[in-house]
Amino acid sequence: MTIPAKTPPPIELEETGDGYEKRDVNLRMVVVLSVASALLVIGFSLILNEYFLITKNKIYEEQVLAKESPRLIEYQRETEALLNSFGEIEGKEGTFRIPVESAMELLVKQAQAKSAD
């Protein structure tokens, strides 16, 4: 069984024959809606700005002001000791490491010796 589709009644327009509307726009409603829209946009902007500031401060506290982990401190000590000590490089027999300061001094001396020749 099929139900016949009902067509909506036609919208009756005021026929004036002039080709334009005879009524003015409700200026009061336009002003009220414009002000309300502006206030809504300003309100959302303020809320988003506060959210941004709170989130930024939270991230700053977590990343910058957080106490360094003991593992990080130990790792930094180990790498600092490797950079500033003499020794053989593990896994590479016959290859040695020297402190960075000593390496720079050697490079300067080699460059001076080459330029003197």
Side-chain angles (χ1 to χ4, degrees):
M1 175 175 178
T2 60
I3 300 173
K6 292 184 179 179
T7 57
I11 299 173
E12 294 184 25
L13 300 175
E14 187 178 313
E15 288 290 329
T16 58
D18 295 334
Y20 59 91
E21 293 184 15
K22 299 283 185 175
R23 297 183 326 191
D24 284 334
V25 175
N26 187 349
L27 186 60
R28 179 184 228 180
M29 185 59 74
V30 170
V31 170
V32 168
L33 287 176
S34 299
V35 169
S37 298
L39 291 175
L40 192 64
V41 167
I42 291 170
F44 278 136
S45 298
L46 292 174
I47 290 170
L48 286 174
N49 187 45
E50 286 301 314
Y51 175 74
F52 171 75
L53 292 175
I54 290 169
T55 305
K56 185 177 86 169
N57 288 337
K58 186 183 294 185
I59 290 172
Y60 180 78
E61 289 172 4
E62 289 173 0
Q63 293 180 354
V64 176
L65 301 178
K67 186 177 178 181
E68 289 183 342
S69 72
R71 290 175 52 197
L72 175 62
I73 294 170
E74 181 62 29
Y75 174 75
Q76 288 173 338
R77 270 196 216 120
E78 290 173 5
T79 55
E80 191 70 27
L82 287 174
L83 287 174
N84 296 316
S85 65
F86 292 93
E88 187 173 9
I89 296 178
E90 295 177 16
K92 295 185 178 182
E93 194 171 318
T95 306
F96 296 91
R97 71 173 181 276
I98 61 173
V100 175
E101 292 293 324
S102 300
M104 291 190 305
E105 290 172 7
L106 282 173
L107 286 175
V108 168
K109 287 178 185 176
Q110 288 175 355
Q112 288 173 347
K114 285 183 182 179
S115 65
D117 291 339

